[in-house]
């Protein structure tokens, strides 16, 4: 039996889940050499919210982070999370942008790209999977796991078969809300291993307290790789601790072969970083505890905190329980989408609006209208005519792959930032987050010439002081 592989998430999902993706490249680099000695299956260190956060909050070039980590991680594969046709943003991008983004990611050192679609609409993975393989990367197709009357074992097996037809190199079961229970995990992994001849990786969060047990059952059922986080950045809304799982599997047929002493060096490095963010208030102790609401309402931890924030802004926190009950109703109305970005934000916001206005679907965000029009892809089950009518009236619904309706835009973006462009990758940063990237480009230029970036106007001319 092959050793179980471990993907370490501390440089991406762990700090995204616990400290809002605020860890800087400078905090990561000193420990990369040690992480590289462990023998991990891969290091997840890019994608997800890291790209946006690096530009927006840290004034860092995410491409530079990738290059710097690649230079130090000489033995271990690097891995990223990509939202299919959404790339790292919240809308669909044209095929030329998706293809170029993937090509540049692999060209700058990325090995494995985990590609998912919030609706499990495999059509939205086609371009990214093809581009990854064309660039020589490993394309990992993803099954987004959720619970609903329509998300059955057979439905997941059907998605896996579609991913195989697409030509993926491996399959990940992505459980963003910590909903996988141990025996459901065993059954799902076992079925997938029976019907597809590809490595199976499992990703979950500790939110509901089930994750370590679910990993053990996944491994017994034949899972090849699981995602864990080094202990200071584990548990709560993050992943199970790396060291604990390594110790649990030691001297069994599933032994990972990883050295606990080396892992302890990594843990000792990250402990003061965790304490720093805790002292700053960035790490809220609440996200480290088990949240049973995740099991009752199937709501990811990050979505729960977002609901609280929205209600606080409206001075209506007393409606929290009512909103939690409304979330599953809205989700059913919208065809049972998995609650992962961007669907979690859409369902959550609509539930809040339904409760605080006192009338369901009185106010409807534009993104929800776009979703009902088919602009994000195909819902897991068709939306009823009654709900469609309430949300978009008589507007038509598209049934093609949404990106088929988008014109190429790469040249347009390149032209728009020519004044600030220092590398080809800048075009992709701008395509993903136009305003945030432009602010970063101005900051970068100001740093280069040691001037105050607020002195530069839109035309890059100096404001009179």
């Amino acid at each position: 039996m092959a050793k179980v592989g471990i993907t370490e998430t501390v440089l991406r999902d762990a700090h995204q889940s616990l400290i809002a993706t605020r860890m800087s490249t400078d905090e990561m680099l000193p420990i990369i050499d040690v992480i590289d000695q462990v023998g991990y299956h891969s290091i997840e260190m890019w994608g997800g919210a890291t790209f946006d956060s690096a530009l927006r909050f840290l004034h860092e070039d995410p491409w530079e982070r990738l290059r710097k980590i690649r230079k130090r991680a000489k033995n271990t594969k690097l891995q990223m999370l990509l939202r299919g046709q959404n790339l790292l943003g919240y809308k669909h991008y044209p095929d030329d942008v998706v293809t170029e983004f993937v090509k540049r990611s692999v060209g700058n050192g990325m090995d494995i790209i985990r590609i998912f679609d919030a609706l499990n609409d495999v059509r939205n993975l086609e371009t990214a999977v093809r581009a990854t393989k064309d660039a020589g990367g490993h394309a990992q197709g993803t099954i987004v796991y959720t619970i609903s009357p329509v998300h059955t074992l057979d439905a997941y097996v059907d998605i896996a078969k579609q991913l195989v037809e697409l030509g993926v190199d491996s399959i990940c079961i992505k459980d963003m809300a910590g909903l996988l229970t141990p025996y459901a995990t065993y059954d799902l992994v076992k079925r997938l291993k029976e019907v597809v001849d590809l490595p199976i990786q499992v990703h979950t969060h500790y939110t509901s307290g089930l994750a370590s047990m679910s990993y053990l059952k996944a491994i017994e059922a034949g899972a090849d790789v699981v995602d864990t986080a080094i202990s200071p950045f584990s548990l709560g809304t993050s992943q199970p601790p790396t060291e604990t799982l390594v110790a649990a599997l030691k001297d069994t047929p599933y032994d990972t072969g990883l050295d606990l002493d080396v892992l302890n060096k990594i843990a000792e490095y990250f402990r003061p970083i965790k304490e720093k963010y805790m002292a700053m208030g960035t790490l809220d102790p609440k996200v480290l505890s088990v949240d049973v609401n995740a099991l009752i309402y199937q709501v990811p931890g990050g979505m729960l905190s977002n609901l609280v924030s929205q209600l606080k802004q409206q001075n209506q926190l007393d409606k929290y329980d009512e909103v939690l009950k409304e979330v599953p109703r809205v989700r059913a109305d919208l065809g049972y989408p998995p609650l992962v970005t961007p669907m979690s934000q859409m369902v959550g916001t609509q539930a809040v609006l339904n409760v605080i206005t006192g009338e369901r679907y009185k106010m409807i965000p534009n993104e929800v209208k776009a979703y009902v029009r088919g602009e994000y892809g195909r819902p897991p089950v068709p939306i009823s005519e009654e709900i469609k009518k309430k949300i978009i009236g008589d507007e038509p619904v598209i049934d093609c792959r949404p990106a088929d309706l988008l014109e190429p835009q790469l040249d347009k973006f390149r032209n728009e930032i020519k004044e600030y462009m220092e590398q080809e990758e800048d075009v992709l940063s701008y395509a993903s987050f136009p305003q945030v990237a432009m602010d970063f480009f101005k900051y970068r230029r100001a740093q280069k010439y040691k001037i105050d970036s607020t002195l530069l106007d839109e035309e890059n001319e100096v404001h009179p002081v």
Side-chain angles (χ1 to χ4, degrees):
M1 182 177 289
K3 288 192 295 194
V4 172
I6 302 284
T7 290
E8 175 59 62
T9 68
V10 68
L11 303 184
R12 204 286 295 178
D13 200 10
H15 78 107
Q16 179 174 321
S17 298
L18 297 184
I19 58 167
T21 335
R22 293 300 197 273
M23 201 185 295
S24 68
T25 303
D26 285 346
E27 286 172 318
M28 298 174 184
L29 288 178
I31 196 64
I32 300 298
D33 293 344
V34 182
I35 291 175
D36 193 39
Q37 292 166 25
V38 171
Y40 285 118
H41 168 76
S42 62
I43 307 164
E44 195 205 32
M45 47 65 63
W46 216 57
T50 60
F51 201 92
D52 182 6
S53 290
L55 291 167
R56 189 187 300 266
F57 302 115
L58 304 175
H59 299 304
E60 284 187 12
D61 179 7
W63 299 97
E64 194 58 28
R65 175 182 295 183
L66 172 55
R67 290 190 284 263
K68 283 178 174 176
I69 291 177
R70 174 75 287 166
K71 199 171 176 183
R72 295 197 182 202
K74 296 180 170 66
N75 309 302
T76 315
K77 287 183 162 56
L78 300 184
Q79 183 168 324
M80 73 172 290
L81 180 69
L82 193 81
R83 300 178 188 130
Q85 206 72 29
N86 287 14
L87 292 177
L88 303 177
Y90 310 102
K91 63 174 190 177
H92 281 220
Y93 296 93
D95 286 339
D96 65 330
V97 175
V98 173
T99 300
E100 185 69 8
F101 194 101
V102 170
K103 178 181 156 193
R104 294 275 165 191
S105 299
V106 175
N108 279 281
M110 189 54 60
D111 297 297
I112 301 168
I113 303 187
R114 177 178 294 168
I115 306 163
F116 80 93
D117 177 68
L119 299 173
N120 283 320
D121 187 340
V122 173
R123 299 174 305 171
N124 293 333
L125 309 180
E126 289 170 9
T127 302
V129 168
R130 183 169 59 245
T132 302
K133 292 179 76 73
D134 287 350
H138 175 115
Q140 183 170 83
T142 308
I143 296 169
V144 176
Y145 183 81
T146 188
I147 297 169
S148 84
V150 298
H151 288 91
T152 61
L153 264 181
D154 288 341
Y156 287 129
V157 166
D158 184 54
I159 296 165
K161 287 176 178 172
Q162 291 177 58
L163 292 171
V164 171
E165 280 178 32
L166 215 53
V168 302
D169 299 300
S170 63
I171 290 176
C172 174
I173 301 164
K174 176 179 168 59
D175 171 26
M176 62 286 165
L179 300 178
L180 277 170
T181 61
Y183 293 98
T185 308
Y186 182 90
D187 292 343
L188 178 54
V189 172
K190 193 164 185 298
R191 277 289 296 278
L192 291 179
K193 292 300 282 185
E194 286 165 1
V195 296
V196 300
D197 187 21
L198 287 175
I200 302 292
Q201 185 157 355
V202 183
H203 170 94
T204 188
H205 291 251
Y206 213 90
T207 319
S208 62
L210 290 167
S212 292
M213 294 180 277
S214 296
Y215 275 173
L216 284 179
K217 295 307 286 184
I219 290 162
E220 287 175 6
D224 300 275
V225 188
V226 293
D227 291 5
T228 62
I230 204 74
S231 55
F233 278 89
S234 67
L235 301 175
T237 51
S238 178
Q239 279 74 50
T242 305
E243 305 96 305
T244 308
L245 196 75
V246 167
L249 298 175
K250 192 169 170 50
D251 299 326
T252 74
Y254 314 108
D255 197 325
T256 62
L258 305 191
D259 187 333
L260 279 170
D261 289 331
V262 182
L263 291 173
N264 192 43
K265 281 184 196 168
I266 300 167
E268 284 174 352
Y269 175 82
F270 281 108
R271 206 162 281 120
I273 295 176
K274 174 192 180 175
E275 285 162 5
K276 171 190 139 183
Y277 284 104
M278 203 166 241
M280 288 165 59
T282 311
L283 174 53
D284 185 334
K286 280 199 208 82
V287 302
L288 293 173
S289 59
V290 168
D291 192 339
V292 75
N293 281 320
L295 292 173
I296 297 171
Y297 300 109
Q298 287 103 52
V299 175
M303 186 178 167
L304 286 169
S305 53
N306 198 35
L307 294 178
V308 170
S309 169
Q310 288 185 30
L311 289 167
K312 271 185 184 167
Q313 285 169 14
Q314 301 295 324
N315 203 23
Q316 303 225 29
L317 197 51
D318 58 313
K319 303 270 177 68
Y320 180 63
D321 287 340
E322 212 179 318
V323 169
L324 276 184
K325 288 171 184 156
E326 179 64 5
V327 166
R329 290 195 285 263
V330 171
R331 185 170 172 240
D333 289 344
L334 297 181
Y336 293 106
L339 294 178
V340 66
T341 302
M343 294 314 306
S344 50
Q345 288 87 337
M346 288 189 214
V347 170
T349 302
Q350 188 63 65
V352 169
L353 290 171
N354 287 359
V355 168
I356 65 176
T357 61
E359 184 184 330
R360 303 188 81 230
Y361 303 109
K362 181 180 183 180
M363 283 180 69
I364 302 160
N366 289 332
E367 292 84 357
V368 173
K369 291 178 182 176
Y371 164 71
V372 174
R373 285 195 295 264
E375 291 171 27
Y376 286 87
R378 193 185 288 129
V381 293
I383 298 168
S384 74
E385 291 303 320
E386 180 196 352
I387 294 294
K388 272 192 216 162
K389 188 90 175 161
K390 268 186 187 176
I391 293 175
I392 58 169
D394 295 324
E395 290 184 59
V397 175
I398 65 166
D399 59 4
C400 63
R401 184 183 74 111
D404 289 340
L405 304 174
L406 302 176
E407 295 292 326
Q409 285 187 297
L410 212 49
D411 290 340
K412 169 179 161 287
F413 292 139
R414 187 177 286 108
N415 191 51
E416 285 175 10
I417 64 153
K418 61 186 177 194
E419 290 291 322
Y420 291 94
M421 194 168 146
E422 293 185 11
Q423 56 178 355
E424 274 298 318
E425 289 80 3
D426 288 344
V427 182
L428 298 162
S429 299
Y430 178 74
S432 302
F433 303 102
Q435 190 55 57
V436 172
M438 186 55 80
D439 290 345
F440 168 73
F441 298 154
K442 288 180 179 179
Y443 170 83
R444 181 175 65 185
R445 176 166 291 188
Q447 291 298 106
K448 197 172 178 181
Y449 297 108
K450 299 287 185 267
I451 58 172
D452 183 346
S453 59
T454 59
L455 299 177
L456 300 178
D457 68 10
E458 293 302 317
E459 277 69 49
N460 200 32
E461 293 168 353
V462 178
H463 288 301
V465 177

